[in-house]
């Protein structure tokens, strides 16, 4: 049995549950009833679909789960496209020039195991063979309507097996932002974490534990079954402040405006405040920490290296990941050189060029054989060369 047989629709687009509701099976015939008429081709097709539907419901649970999971498969997506889509790592406008100028750097540390030694690589390009694909799932309403069992299995598969991308956004601004009650700091606002993020992901800095979404059975929180998580903070949020969030026509007073700005700044580094101890199934974690090396952090002191180090230790205490990707810790003026580094040395040194050795700091969160990847943007725009054209850059021996 395949997906088409499981959720095939009639010619008018109805799914099985709709068909079964609108074409009820009649009572059994008796001697007093007229002879049964011969079924038309369309009616015979409906009967066959009902038969397949009943067969699907009677499948062993583990078989049905596998069928549903495969039916929900979507094309995998590279980790860089999920984490930093606004850097266009996978689809570069001028890939050869960007490689030559070393505009984007990918440092990959693979932790050693009993059978294989640790390794360290540094790349400035990204070809098809370099993609780090993560599994993606899509939900189909027809699956959810098949039966209660199918509904539960589909939701479980979507959140447990598929990669969940949580985008920071301004759609969770508190309704009382213009009122005096907003200044009650016993319950901080989380203005740019995004409603979906707040509804599902637990954070250690939530003083008043907000309710989190659960599985359809009402017993298990969704965050308990997550395996692959991406926390993405769009670069456009760097330009957001309190006035932009509330709008130019809002009557918010200056005191509340300043308080909202403080909460926005605090949220910019919220990718570090996830409650790792509550998500025991995690295998892949992608964190957007580009705020750390951004000019905004330099000017406003939003998050410091010591805070990140403390949270890295917390991750190392609770997580044993197959994949950890972090963006932005060594970008722009925070760039460090790996030219003289080997895997053995990177596991020992506390600092690199006077900056924290983030690989050593975060490596405890990665299991043996797992990968820790730092991706950074070293420059944003191709510099102008008055006397050298792009063709020279591509052919010069250096």
């Amino acid at each position: 049995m395949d997906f088409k047989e499981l959720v095939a629709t009639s010619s008018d687009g109805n799914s099985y549950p709709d068909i079964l509701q609108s074409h009820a099976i009649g009572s059994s015939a008796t001697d007093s009833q007229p002879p049964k008429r011969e079924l038309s081709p369309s009616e015979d097709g409906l009967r066959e679909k009902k038969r397949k539907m009943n067969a699907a419901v009677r499948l062993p649970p583990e078989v049905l789960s596998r069928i549903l999971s495969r039916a929900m498969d979507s094309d995998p997506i590279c980790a860089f496209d999920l984490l930093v889509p606004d850097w266009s790592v996978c689809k570069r406008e001028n890939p050869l020039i960007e490689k030559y100028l070393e505009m984007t750097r990918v440092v990959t540390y693979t932790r050693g195991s009993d059978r294989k030694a640790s390794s360290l690589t540094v790349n400035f390009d990204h070809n098809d063979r370099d993609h780090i694909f993560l599994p993606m799932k899509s939900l189909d309403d027809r699956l959810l309507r098949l039966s209660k069992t199918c509904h539960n299995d589909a939701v479980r598969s979507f959140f447990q097996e598929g990669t969940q991308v949580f985008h920071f956004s301004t759609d969770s601004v508190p309704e009382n932002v213009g009122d005096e009650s907003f200044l009650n700091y016993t319950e901080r606002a989380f203005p740019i974490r995004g409603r979906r993020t707040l509804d599902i992901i637990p954070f250690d800095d939530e003083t008043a534990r907000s309710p989190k979404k659960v599985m359809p059975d009402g017993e298990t929180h969704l965050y308990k079954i997550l395996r692959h998580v991406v926390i993405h903070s769009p670069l456009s949020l760097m330009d957001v402040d309190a006035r932009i969030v509330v709008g130019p026509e809002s009557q918010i007073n200056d005191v509340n405006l300043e308080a909202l700005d403080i909460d926005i700044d605090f949220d910019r580094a919220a990718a570090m405040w996830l409650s790792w101890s509550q998500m025991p199934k995690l295998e892949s974690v992608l964190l957007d920490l580009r705020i750390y090396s951004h000019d905004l952090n330099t000017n406003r002191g939003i998050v410091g290296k010591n805070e990140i180090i403390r949270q890295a230790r917390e991750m190392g205490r609770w997580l044993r990941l197959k994949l950890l990707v972090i963006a932005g810790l060594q970008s722009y003026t925070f760039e460090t050189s790996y030219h003289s580094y080997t895997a053995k040395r990177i596991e020992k040194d506390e600092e690199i060029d006077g900056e924290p050795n983030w690989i050593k700091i975060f490596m405890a969160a990665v299991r043996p054989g797992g990968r820790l990847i730092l991706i950074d943007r070293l420059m944003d725009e191709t510099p102008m060369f008055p006397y050298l054209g792009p063709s020279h850059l591509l052919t010069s021996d250096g």
Side-chain angles (χ1 to χ4, degrees), residues 232-246:
H232 167 59
S233 181
L235 287 177
S236 58
L237 281 181
M238 300 293 186
D239 299 323
V240 168
D241 60 16
R243 175 51 68 184
I244 292 176
V245 168
V246 301

Side-chain angles (χ1 to χ4, degrees), residues 295-366:
D295 289 342
L296 188 66
N297 189 35
T298 303
N299 297 332
R300 300 177 66 91
I302 295 168
V303 60
K305 64 180 68 175
N306 290 331
E307 294 172 280
I308 296 180
I309 291 172
R310 283 196 297 270
Q311 291 303 313
R313 290 171 179 164
E314 187 72 4
M315 294 176 68
R317 179 184 177 188
W318 297 104
L319 303 179
R320 292 297 179 267
L321 302 172
K322 293 181 179 179
L323 176 67
L324 174 58
V325 184
I326 306 175
L329 287 179
Q330 296 175 331
S331 296
Y332 309 116
T333 59
F334 288 81
E335 177 187 354
T336 56
S337 174
Y338 286 86
H339 287 311
S340 61
Y341 274 87
T342 63
K344 188 174 182 179
R345 182 181 174 188
I346 207 72
E347 293 171 341
K348 293 181 178 180
D349 286 5
E350 298 294 334
E351 293 184 345
I352 302 176
D353 294 344
E355 289 295 319
N357 177 0
W358 295 116
I359 290 179
K360 181 177 181 180
I361 290 168
F362 279 96
M363 65 183 292
V366 178

